[in-house]
Amino acid sequence: MEEIIVSGSEETVKPIITMLMGISQMLNNRDIGQFVGEPLEENIKAVPSLLTMKIVWYSAKEPPFQAPVGKRFIKAECNIPDVYKSKLKWETIKQLAGGANGYEWGEYLALAKLDNNRQMHVRGATKAIASKQLDNMLELTKAKVTSISVIQLTKAGRRASGQTLEIKPARIYPANFIIVNSKKIDATQQRIYRDEIATRKLSTLRGDYAKRGSQRIPLWTDKPPKDYKQILNNAFNIDVV
């Protein structure tokens, strides 16, 4: 449950409350990282991914997702393009993400280059752990692997002297995931109905795809949400005018 404290006179507070309620309904538990911070170069060069998943891990096993006093909080994520629809079973995703016990995150980076000009990467405490977790994530994508590399992230510059910047192993746990579904649309129709589309969809840089993202789906729980099937149906059903 979230709380927002607003102070002021009744006349000034009323419109602010209305605005905040509208923003909350619009976001609807969505991950803003779905829209902000995605790599520009990859989005331009890569083949459009019609079904993408982002899995997020935290070093806290359950809410509130924050570190104890004096400890570092870790957030990790992996973007998976061209996901198999048949592998969107909640239990399968959680198990591949490490299950209830998660996995050891750390200084080894496993990177896979795919035949759609996209990349997938995860980090692990050892080379074997990073490789294994990347293999798990690759089970979810239809894309073919063109190369895999595992490197150890070394300390240089500030990392060499700043103890707080050292990459220390930490156990992270699957927290949530989102699904982004894309569908090709007619560019002319998009221009005609651009106002309506702008309120319901997010267009890609190419301008001929519409996207719909699911809300953030929890993985930290023991069971999937009761409305999990409906959440998937909503993400898959793109109304293109």
Side-chain angles (χ1 to χ4, degrees):
M1 180 178 179
E2 296 180 340
E3 293 184 357
I4 300 176
I5 299 176
V6 181
S7 63
S9 64
E10 182 177 355
E11 291 75 14
T12 59
V13 166
K14 280 185 177 180
I16 295 176
I17 293 176
T18 302
M19 178 188 68
L20 291 174
M21 291 177 63
I23 293 174
S24 177
Q25 292 175 356
M26 179 179 67
L27 295 180
N28 189 27
N29 203 29
R30 283 174 168 78
D31 184 355
I32 296 303
Q34 172 186 336
F35 311 115
V36 180
E38 299 295 338
L40 177 61
E41 182 178 1
E42 181 175 302
N43 276 325
I44 293 175
K45 292 183 178 180
V47 176
S49 176
L50 298 183
L51 191 61
T52 302
M53 176 190 298
K54 177 191 285 187
I55 299 179
V56 177
W57 296 262
Y58 294 135
S59 53
K61 193 171 186 178
E62 58 188 25
F65 292 118
Q66 59 188 32
V69 176
K71 292 190 176 181
R72 183 183 178 190
F73 181 73
I74 304 295
K75 176 184 177 181
E77 57 186 42
C78 180
N79 290 303
I80 306 162
D82 298 328
V83 176
Y84 283 107
K85 258 189 181 182
S86 60
K87 294 190 177 181
L88 288 179
K89 188 176 180 181
W90 185 89
E91 291 81 0
T92 299
I93 297 169
K94 178 159 184 174
Q95 186 60 35
L96 291 174
N101 294 323
Y103 77 96
E104 285 289 320
W105 173 95
E107 61 185 345
Y108 286 86
L109 174 69
L111 172 69
K113 293 186 178 181
L114 309 175
D115 62 353
N116 56 9
N117 288 326
R118 295 185 181 273
Q119 299 179 355
M120 289 172 54
H121 58 84
V122 296
R123 284 169 58 175
T126 67
K127 184 176 181 179
I129 291 175
S131 297
K132 172 60 177 174
Q133 191 55 46
L134 180 61
D135 287 342
N136 285 353
M137 298 295 94
L138 288 170
E139 287 191 30
L140 295 169
T141 181
K142 298 178 183 178
K144 304 300 181 184
V145 176
T146 59
S147 68
I148 290 180
S149 58
V150 182
I151 61 172
Q152 183 178 14
L153 301 175
T154 58
K155 293 177 288 184
R158 290 193 305 160
R159 290 183 183 272
S161 57
Q163 186 175 358
T164 57
L165 293 177
E166 289 183 0
I167 305 174
K168 295 182 178 180
R171 181 160 292 273
I172 58 175
Y173 306 90
N176 58 69
F177 70 97
I178 63 169
I179 297 169
V180 179
N181 185 29
S182 301
K183 184 175 182 179
K184 193 164 186 177
I185 61 176
D186 183 271
T188 302
Q189 289 181 329
Q190 184 187 32
R191 287 194 296 270
I192 294 174
Y193 297 99
R194 62 184 180 274
D195 292 336
E196 181 179 357
I197 291 174
T199 62
R200 296 190 298 164
K201 307 177 186 70
L202 174 69
S203 297
T204 67
L205 293 174
R206 295 169 184 251
D208 57 356
Y209 283 81
K211 290 183 179 179
R212 170 166 291 175
S214 73
Q215 66 188 63
R216 191 182 290 112
I217 302 169
L219 281 173
W220 61 270
T221 54
D222 295 329
K223 297 180 180 179
K226 292 182 179 180
D227 58 346
Y228 181 61
K229 289 184 178 180
Q230 185 60 47
I231 293 173
L232 293 185
N233 289 337
N234 290 341
F236 294 154
N237 182 24
I238 295 183
D239 301 321
V240 179
V241 291

